[in-house]
């Protein structure tokens, strides 16, 4: 079969490799679509793990079950499935409390060595992955491309569940990449008024398609003052920092109201993860600064259902599609800032 292998920083190589054997208690999925995620781009720039001869990335996948092992009872040949990458251990302190995304032994398809991802024609999923990972049947009528964005939808749905976003809130989303635009859509779906801050004119234009009340250039003038003016001098109820920029987090604390919530959705680069926040604003204003990482497995079914019912704007989110043999061009496009979600279509559709 054909698979895209990350062999060095910024370079994926299309290779012919053996098809995976079906696990005794697992399945083999013929991949039809797989999205490029922001974390895929970071690893693409860094290259494969040290000592590795290459890794097959891709963790936003959807396809058809073409083989099921004799010990697998949950899926059968012909099932359409969507796959998210997280695999928890089920035994640690956090798993015992059903905080699966905080598992001490968390593994990821397309990231952890020995767990190849979805930029390949076929993908084997073991019984462990089916039990402790996130694999669900697709609702009727949902396309593979739309199913492939369910993993990103998981993260955004989990964030607004954590933030308790409601129709009483004004939400500021900083960053209008794929995740930022989905934050706009989900916050609006929960009844909030939404403002987007983004430096890129191209992405400000794309963010407008998701229906925010206001889109501002994050680099212009007194942006904190503009948010205060937008909120009647009070400040935002919730600020979602949806990009990997330390200054975003600093601005979030400055523009949120007293008692408001700043959600750190976009992680900072591992090589430079430190930031400085005004602790007096946090202390005297009783501001909540919280992290938002990954999601609970139950949200995957909700994301698939909302996508199937057209209650999440997948068509606006997906701006580019490429075939597997154009994967380097696809990564370049995803990294250019001129796209939102880029999907790789694999095999016969």
């Amino acid at each position: 079969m054909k698979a895209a292998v990350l062999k060095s920083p910024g370079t994926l190589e299309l290779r012919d490799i053996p098809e995976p054997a079906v696990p005794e208690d697992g399945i083999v999925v013929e991949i039809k679509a797989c999205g490029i995620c922001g974390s895929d781009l970071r690893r693409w720039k860094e290259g494969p793990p040290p000592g590795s001869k290459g890794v097959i990335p891709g963790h936003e996948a959807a396809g058809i079950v073409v083989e099921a092992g004799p010990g697998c009872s949950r899926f059968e040949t012909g099932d359409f499935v969507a796959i998210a990458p997280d695999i928890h251990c089920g035994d640690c302190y956090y798993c015992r409390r059903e905080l699966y995304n905080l598992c001490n032994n968390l593994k990821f398809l397309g990231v952890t060595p020995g767990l190849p991802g979805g930029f390949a024609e076929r993908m084997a999923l073991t019984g462990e992955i089916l039990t402790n990972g996130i694999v669900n049947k697709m609702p009727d009528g949902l396309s593979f491309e739309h199913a492939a964005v369910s993993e990103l939808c998981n993260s955004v749905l989990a964030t607004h569940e954590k933030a308790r976003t409601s129709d009483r809130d004004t939400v500021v989303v900083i960053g209008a990449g794929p995740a930022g635009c989905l934050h706009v859509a989900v916050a609006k779906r929960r009844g909030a008024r939404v403002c987007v801050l983004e430096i890129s004119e191209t992405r400000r234009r794309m963010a407008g398609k998701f229906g925010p009340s206001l889109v501002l250039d994050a680099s212009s003038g007194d942006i904190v003052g503009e948010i205060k003016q937008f909120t009647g001098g009070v400040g935002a109820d919730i600020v979602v920092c949806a990009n990997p920029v330390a200054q975003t987090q600093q601005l979030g604390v400055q523009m949120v109201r007293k008692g408001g919530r700043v959600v750190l959705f976009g992680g900072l680069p591992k090589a430079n993860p430190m930031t400085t926040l005004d602790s007096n604003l946090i202390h005297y204003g009783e501001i909540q600064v919280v992290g938002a990482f990954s999601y609970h497995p139950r949200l995957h079914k909700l994301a698939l259902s909302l996508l199937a019912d057209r209650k999440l704007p997948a068509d606006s989110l997906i701006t580019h599609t490429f075939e597997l043999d154009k994967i380097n061009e696809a990564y370049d496009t995803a990294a250019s800032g001129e796209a939102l979600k880029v999907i790789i279509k694999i095999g016969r559709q």
Side-chain angles (χ1 to χ4, degrees):
M1 69 174 187
K2 293 190 181 300
V5 179
L6 179 62
K7 67 171 187 175
S8 61
T11 303
L12 291 127
E13 181 178 81
L14 199 63
R15 296 179 183 172
D16 285 310
I17 64 172
E19 290 189 6
V22 61
E24 174 74 17
D25 53 357
I27 57 176
V28 172
V29 179
E30 186 174 88
I31 302 300
K32 295 298 184 181
C34 190
I36 297 177
C37 175
S39 60
D40 288 321
L41 291 176
R42 287 194 295 273
R43 293 182 189 94
W44 172 67
K45 293 173 183 176
E46 295 169 0
S52 169
K53 294 182 179 179
V55 60
I56 300 172
H59 61 260
E60 302 176 339
I64 304 173
V65 177
V66 291
E67 291 186 83
C72 177
S73 58
R74 185 176 161 201
F75 297 101
E76 59 186 26
T77 301
D79 285 341
F80 286 20
V81 296
I83 304 162
D86 307 47
I87 307 163
H88 59 269
C89 72
D91 295 322
C92 72
Y93 175 93
Y94 298 100
C95 287
R96 292 197 300 271
R97 287 157 179 79
E98 298 185 1
L99 300 171
Y100 301 118
N101 63 308
L102 302 180
C103 171
N104 281 331
N105 307 297
L106 202 60
K107 297 182 289 188
F108 299 96
L109 296 169
V111 177
T112 302
L115 293 173
F119 292 138
E121 292 180 326
R122 293 195 173 194
M123 186 178 184
L125 303 175
T126 64
E128 178 194 10
I129 295 170
L130 300 183
T131 300
N132 291 344
I134 304 174
V135 186
N136 284 298
K137 294 180 182 178
M138 292 166 46
D140 291 343
L142 182 62
S143 71
F144 293 116
E145 291 90 344
H146 287 191
V149 302
S150 59
E151 195 272 342
L152 176 58
C153 293
N154 281 355
S155 295
V156 175
L157 290 168
T159 297
H160 290 277
E161 183 176 271
K162 177 188 289 286
R164 305 185 304 281
T165 306
S166 75
D167 57 5
R168 299 176 59 187
D169 293 324
T170 295
V171 176
V172 173
V173 177
I174 309 180
C181 288
L182 257 185
H183 278 295
V184 175
V186 171
K188 280 179 57 64
R189 176 170 170 74
R190 294 176 71 106
R193 186 173 67 145
V194 187
C195 173
V196 180
L197 307 183
E198 170 59 51
I199 292 175
S200 164
E201 180 181 356
T202 298
R203 286 196 158 172
R204 289 199 302 273
R205 186 172 61 253
M206 290 191 287
K209 298 178 181 179
F210 295 81
S213 299
L214 184 65
V215 181
L216 295 173
D217 182 350
S219 65
S220 67
D222 179 13
I223 196 66
V224 173
E226 291 192 61
I227 293 301
K228 291 292 180 71
Q229 183 178 2
F230 179 62
T231 57
V234 177
D237 299 287
I238 300 167
V239 178
V240 179
C241 303
N243 58 14
V245 180
Q247 186 183 9
T248 292
Q249 301 174 359
Q250 298 161 8
L251 285 173
V253 170
Q254 294 170 32
M255 65 180 56
V256 75
R257 67 165 171 82
K258 295 178 182 179
R261 300 177 290 284
V262 178
V263 184
L264 309 185
F265 179 87
L268 300 184
K270 290 183 179 180
N272 189 21
M274 305 305 292
T275 188
T276 301
L277 304 180
D278 189 328
S279 64
N280 275 345
L281 284 178
I282 296 170
H283 170 68
Y284 290 108
E286 294 192 348
I287 295 168
Q288 301 172 47
V289 180
V290 298
F293 167 70
S294 196
Y295 37 74
H296 191 285
R298 64 180 168 78
L299 290 173
H300 192 237
K301 286 185 178 180
L302 174 61
L304 289 168
S305 175
L306 292 173
L307 287 163
D309 292 340
R310 300 279 179 168
K311 293 179 179 177
L312 291 175
D315 283 326
S316 296
L317 188 69
I318 299 169
T319 56
H320 295 76
T321 60
F322 292 86
E323 302 294 331
L324 184 60
D325 62 358
K326 300 292 185 182
I327 193 159
N328 281 294
E329 183 181 344
Y331 266 73
D332 288 338
T333 300
S336 70
E338 301 295 314
L340 290 179
K341 178 56 69 176
V342 175
I343 299 289
I344 305 298
K345 298 171 70 173
I346 303 170
R348 297 177 62 184
Q349 301 295 306

